[in-house]
Amino acid sequence: MILGNDGAGLLGDGTPVVIYAVLGSEDWKADETIDPNWQIFSELVPATMADYVAVPKCNALPIPEGLSTLHASLLGTAWLTAYRSLLTKARLMPG
């Protein structure tokens, strides 16, 4: 198993992307973080410490303008931790 769940890089056409680390079930249509079968890279699939990484199209997100590749690569797990803490554990609701 290749470790690593955060990452950023280039698509085949040169588009810079950040890798969204959460993988939901193929048939799950809601928030992946509440999918009972969700996982992050390196739990069940090889991950981002590889030289090349293949991810589902929905997990390759354009890097926001003004954000370096390095900083973008660190967003995945940090975002997931904050999101789960606020919306799942603290039950923060929109509005």
Side-chain angles (χ1 to χ4, degrees):
M1 180 59 70
I2 298 172
L3 301 177
N5 28 14
D6 294 323
L10 301 173
L11 295 179
D13 66 2
T15 303
V17 294
V18 60
I19 296 172
Y20 176 57
V22 178
L23 296 165
S25 303
E26 286 184 36
D27 58 341
W28 188 263
K29 301 299 180 208
D31 178 350
E32 301 93 2
T33 64
I34 58 173
D35 177 352
N37 297 310
W38 75 280
Q39 60 179 299
I40 57 174
F41 288 100
S42 79
E43 289 184 317
L44 300 176
V45 297
T48 60
M49 288 186 179
D51 291 333
Y52 296 92
V53 179
V55 301
K57 187 176 184 175
C58 62
N59 287 75
L61 306 172
I63 293 178
E65 190 173 323
L67 194 59
S68 73
T69 302
L70 173 64
H71 290 116
S73 71
L74 302 173
L75 291 174
T77 305
W79 171 86
L80 177 60
T81 302
Y83 179 88
R84 296 271 301 165
S85 296
L86 293 172
L87 299 181
T88 303
K89 302 299 181 188
R91 294 192 170 102
L92 183 68
M93 301 299 285

